[in-house]
């Protein structure tokens, strides 16, 4: 039995596939969120240096990770859409941007509200913070550029260019704490070394990251479906949906 | 259990403002995004005259 991968490349069939998948990702996000928050606030101990303020980590780090990860995924799909002229790929890239921008804002906001008690400042022009702010402007730039162009296909191409150019900012954010002498701390979690965090703190943070990931998938699938409907409203299969309405 | 009572929990070791300020705004953003997408979908369905598509079986 050979799998026809391209079946779901068409917006029409992807529309129904995504519709069936969204509930599973939504439920996973909610369950993981509850577990993560429970561990974060009721299991993880008090930090010997920061006391209770460190508990912001359970929303700050997942949001920061998602802001970088979603940008890469957005640039990937934008690039595929540009290279192969596949409408659905560009629609997915367009659907990712708002969620990525939101997580970037959350990372900046929670970082500032964590920095104020710990560093004594809401904001410092530190390498990590500044490059994350640039990431926010890149997301906003992508969204406004696409909104400024009427023809969706041309907007996709223009968006793809800005998305791909902006990819260079992601390693800058990630390695900023090593390349420059930053106020922001270095990476506490790495795939190569053993973790430098208490187990329960680490587990809480990882579960919250999974929750953020499930949430992002559910949100992006929902937004992709709406974009599909908006762009394909003149097609037969959408008309058939309409037909079912009467 | 880390917290002896709820007031201690909400004071968050004196950092309550910062911890709850972070969490409230973060969840407000998430709730806002969810509301926006549901609203966008509702208006689109009304505009396109679609019924709630969960009642429409995928055509084989």
């Amino acid at each position: 039995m050979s799998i026809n991968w391209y079946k779901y490349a068409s917006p029409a069939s992807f529309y129904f596939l995504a519709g069936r998948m969204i509930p599973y990702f939504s439920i996973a996000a909610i369950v993981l969120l509850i577990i993560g928050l429970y561990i974060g606030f009721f299991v993880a101990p008090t930090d010997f240096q920061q006391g209770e303020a460190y508990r912001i980590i359970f929303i700050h780090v997942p949001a920061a990770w998602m802001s970088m990860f979603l940008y890469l995924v957005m640039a990937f799909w934008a690039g595929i859409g540009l290279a192969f002229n596949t409408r659905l790929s560009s629609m997915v890239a367009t659907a990712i941007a708002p969620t990525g921008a939101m997580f970037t804002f959350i990372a900046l906001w929670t970082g500032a509200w964590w920095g104020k008690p710990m560093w004594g400042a809401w904001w410092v022009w530190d390498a990590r913070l500044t490059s994350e702010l640039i990431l926010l402007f890149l997301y906003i730039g992508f969204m406004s550029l696409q909104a400024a162009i009427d023809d969706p296909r041309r907007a996709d191409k223009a968006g793809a260019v800005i998305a791909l150019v902006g990819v260079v900012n992601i390693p800058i954010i990630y390695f900023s704490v090593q390349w420059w002498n930053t106020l922001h701390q270095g990476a506490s979690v790495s795939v190569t070394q053993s973790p430098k965090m208490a187990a329960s703190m680490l587990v809480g943070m990882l579960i919250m990251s999974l929750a953020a990931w499930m949430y992002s998938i559910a949100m992006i699938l929902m937004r992709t479906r709406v974009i599909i409907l908006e762009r394909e409203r003149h097609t037969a299969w959408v008309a058939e949906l309409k037909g079912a309405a009467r | 259990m880390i917290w002896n009572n709820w007031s201690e929990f909400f004071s968050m070791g004196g950092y309550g403002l910062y911890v709850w300020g972070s969490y409230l705004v973060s969840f407000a953003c998430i709730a806002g995004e969810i509301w926006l997408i549901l609203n966008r979908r509702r208006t689109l369905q009304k505009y396109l005259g679609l019924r709630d598509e969960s009642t429409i079986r995928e055509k084989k």
Side-chain angles (χ1 to χ4, degrees), chain A residues 113-192:
Chain A
W113 281 61
W114 191 355
K116 179 60 182 168
M118 288 303 126
W119 297 342
W122 297 105
W123 178 262
V124 244
W125 292 105
D126 166 274
R128 165 63 59 87
L129 282 67
T130 310
S131 45
E132 183 79 11
L133 185 63
I134 291 167
L135 179 63
L136 181 63
F137 293 149
L138 275 169
Y139 273 120
I140 293 169
F142 177 87
M143 289 189 282
S144 44
L145 176 66
Q146 289 212 322
I149 300 172
D150 294 330
D151 169 22
R153 298 301 297 135
R154 278 185 52 240
D156 290 344
K157 289 187 172 44
V161 170
I162 195 173
L164 290 168
V165 166
V167 167
V168 71
N169 185 39
I170 300 302
I172 291 173
I173 296 174
Y174 190 75
F175 293 110
S176 60
V177 285
Q178 288 157 23
W179 292 340
W180 292 284
N181 175 13
T182 63
L183 181 58
H184 190 285
Q185 68 185 54
S188 318
V189 176
S190 102
V191 287
T192 51

Side-chain angles (χ1 to χ4, degrees), chain A residues 15 20 41 44 50 52 55 58 99 102 109-110 113 215 222-223 225-226 229-230 240 242 244-245, chain B residues 2-3 12 15 17-18 21-23 25-26 33-34 38 40-41 44 48-51 53 58-59:
Chain A
Y15 180 84
R20 283 199 308 275
F41 281 99
Q50 299 193 21
E52 306 302 345
R55 294 185 195 278
F58 298 114
T99 303
M102 185 199 70
W109 175 273
T110 53
W113 281 61
Y215 164 80
M222 280 171 73
R223 190 171 293 113
R225 276 162 59 91
V226 169
L229 275 184
E230 281 164 359
E240 203 177 284
K242 262 187 258 187
Chain B
I2 301 164
W3 317 105
M12 202 48 73
Y15 295 110
L17 168 70
Y18 302 109
S22 304
Y23 275 86
V25 167
S26 304
E33 186 182 32
I34 292 171
L38 292 180
R40 179 174 172 185
R41 189 171 168 74
L44 188 67
L48 289 180
L50 306 180
R51 251 174 336 123
E53 109 289 346
E58 182 197 3
K59 55 184 180 349

